[in-house]
Amino acid sequence: MKKVMLLALVVLAIGSWAMAQNWSSTVDVLGAHQNQGRGCAGCHAPHSGSFGSGHGGVADTGSYALWGQDASPLYGKTIAFGDNGRFVEVLPNGIATGSQEVGGILLCLSCHDGNLTQSNMMQNWSYEQQIGLLTNTTYGSQKIPTLLGNDGTTAGNYTNDHPVGQNATISSGSGLVFANNTFTVTPGTPYAQFVANYGWPALAPGKWSNPWGINGAGKPYVLCTTCHNQHVMTVYTSSAASQIVGDGGGKYYATYFFINGPYNPNLQGKLTAGQAASTTQFCRQCHFGEANEANNTNNIPTVFQ
């Protein structure tokens, strides 16, 4: 009887793992960034950049990813993020510099700022919620917001938004090492055990670019694109360099809100005390002091879907 029960548990575990590897989206993966049918051209103008889409000024000369939207209201602005505004970010004066802050913060805010760029077409309402992809949320009938600096209190209130920018640095330690402008993980350390139990999709070096910025002091800092992949809303695909629980790469996981890693809020209320939610694990990549593995608890598995 014990052998039969053990075999059943093994089969169940393998079945759950296979499901985690083969997630498929029920909607177009570009999701909300289809821009109500405009598609890629909603952000990228294939000819003449922002000038080709009717925007553009002196500060927009040059090109950054064929950007076709007007980011000028944000040029040079100072934004105070999080914790009573102690993470102060001064945005670039234009997009032509091509800096990490341009592609990773400024261009995101050219749509997602709810204070200075209110001419954008956003409804400040999560697309996943609108179309019924979120089946279990504490928001109930309330709209999940998508704009920053517009929470219904005071105009431009960024103090309750997650910090990004040169002062929002990413701490290393416990086996997570930052050297020579890149992150590595030391085998046999608590952070390596965390990677084995979840992964490190937001911090693993990318093939074409890295998902963090580097400030003047040589320290890594958080970009909007550290946590978000603006091109895929519903599926995270692992790679050989950024494996999820050692899957070898090329596997598919549920994600929402364009999160750059497995992240499934629909599991709310469905986990046991001996399991970790993918939503929690994602945040622990940077907030490692709150991880199980940082607290001598190494055998809590991640549930993905």
Side-chain angles (χ1 to χ4, degrees), residues 202-269:
L203 296 181
K207 183 176 182 180
W208 306 112
S209 63
N210 294 327
W212 61 80
I214 300 174
N215 65 19
K219 294 183 178 181
Y221 64 86
V222 180
L223 304 168
C224 300
T225 47
T226 301
C227 295
H228 298 278
N229 174 3
Q230 65 272 27
H231 296 118
V232 182
M233 186 185 78
T234 53
V235 177
Y236 176 78
T237 307
S238 65
S239 68
S242 180
Q243 299 180 32
I244 301 300
V245 289
D247 65 4
K251 307 303 187 298
Y252 306 97
Y253 299 84
T255 194
Y256 292 79
F257 311 122
F258 293 95
I259 293 293
N260 185 28
Y263 188 95
N264 190 354
N266 278 339
L267 295 178
Q268 178 181 310

Side-chain angles (χ1 to χ4, degrees), residues 81-169:
F81 289 96
D83 293 347
N84 294 317
R86 73 184 184 93
F87 297 93
V88 177
E89 167 66 7
V90 180
L91 295 172
N93 287 318
I95 65 173
T97 62
S99 71
Q100 295 159 311
E101 292 168 289
V102 171
I105 301 175
L106 178 65
L107 298 189
C108 303
L109 291 179
S110 67
C111 287
H112 283 273
D113 170 83
N115 178 40
L116 297 173
T117 62
Q118 295 186 33
S119 61
N120 61 56
M121 297 181 293
M122 289 182 62
Q123 301 176 38
N124 198 21
W125 183 12
S126 165
Y127 182 77
E128 296 95 328
Q129 186 184 33
Q130 288 187 49
I131 64 175
L133 284 183
L134 293 178
T135 59
N136 191 7
T137 171
T138 56
Y139 274 82
S141 60
Q142 298 180 63
K143 295 180 179 179
I144 299 175
T146 54
L147 293 173
L148 286 74
N150 183 5
D151 59 10
T153 56
T154 58
N157 177 23
Y158 275 87
T159 61
N160 54 9
D161 291 306
H162 192 291
V164 295
Q166 294 199 31
N167 291 309
T169 54

